[in-house]
Amino acid sequence: APTDSSELSAKLQLLLWQPPFSCFTLTEKALCAILKSPGEPGNSKRLERENMTFGESIKTVFSKYVDFEGRARRSEYWYFTLFIFILDAVLWLLGHLVSAKFGNTLMSLVSLAIFLPSLGVAVRRLHDIGKSGWWALLVITVVGSLLLIFWWVQDSQDGENEYGPNPKGVIGRSEIEENARKKWEQDS
């Protein structure tokens, strides 16, 4: 068994980043169980839920109509953004086929209906990377919009943050190390 924290850290580095794994001690066996997918020996990928589908993301956003708490995955945010672009294109086409006044009225009503869900998913997406939802106000500036896009494409923060658990269901590296350290201390 490792004798100090630095030796444990070195073993964790070896386990986390250099497959194939050697699961000898109880701590290493616990880490291997976390990091390996069942039926795939030596798989070092993190275990996480699959991305949301297009339909699931729309359903989720509308079910959280005015929910500004929690976290939203990238797939939830970007599929909903795609949905809005498709909806706008269809409404624009419909407005030009029927009448401009009808199209403008319809687009205005739909824009009002999707404003709060759009804002909610944008705020939850910022929460997912550890930012306050108030940063969404940057959208009123060009430079701010570019910064928001940069943030919205970032991957989720590992593990739980101040806004809730990771929506991917991923155990982050820091959590793995902490769980292994606790297990090692119990075994010693």
Side-chain angles (χ1 to χ4, degrees), residues 8-22 31-32 35 42-46 158 171-174 176-177:
L8 176 62
S9 180
K11 281 194 170 229
L12 285 171
Q13 290 287 336
L14 181 71
L15 280 171
L16 291 172
W17 302 113
Q18 295 182 355
F21 296 101
S22 58
L31 282 171
C32 287
L35 294 172
N43 184 2
S44 64
K45 292 184 179 177
R46 298 184 303 174
D158 284 341
I171 297 178
R173 182 171 180 206
S174 58
I176 292 171
E177 289 174 352

Side-chain angles (χ1 to χ4, degrees), residues 48-49 52 64 67 69-74 76 123-130 155-172 175:
E48 59 184 59
R49 284 185 258 167
M52 287 185 143
K64 297 179 177 182
D67 186 3
E69 295 184 13
R71 296 168 67 172
R73 297 178 70 171
R74 281 186 295 189
E76 179 181 347
V123 166
R124 290 193 311 275
R125 181 71 201 114
L126 287 170
H127 287 173
D128 192 41
I129 60 165
D155 197 5
S156 301
Q157 273 188 339
D158 284 341
E160 191 167 326
N161 69 15
E162 64 182 293
Y163 302 104
N166 189 331
K168 289 182 177 181
V170 172
I171 297 178
E175 288 179 273

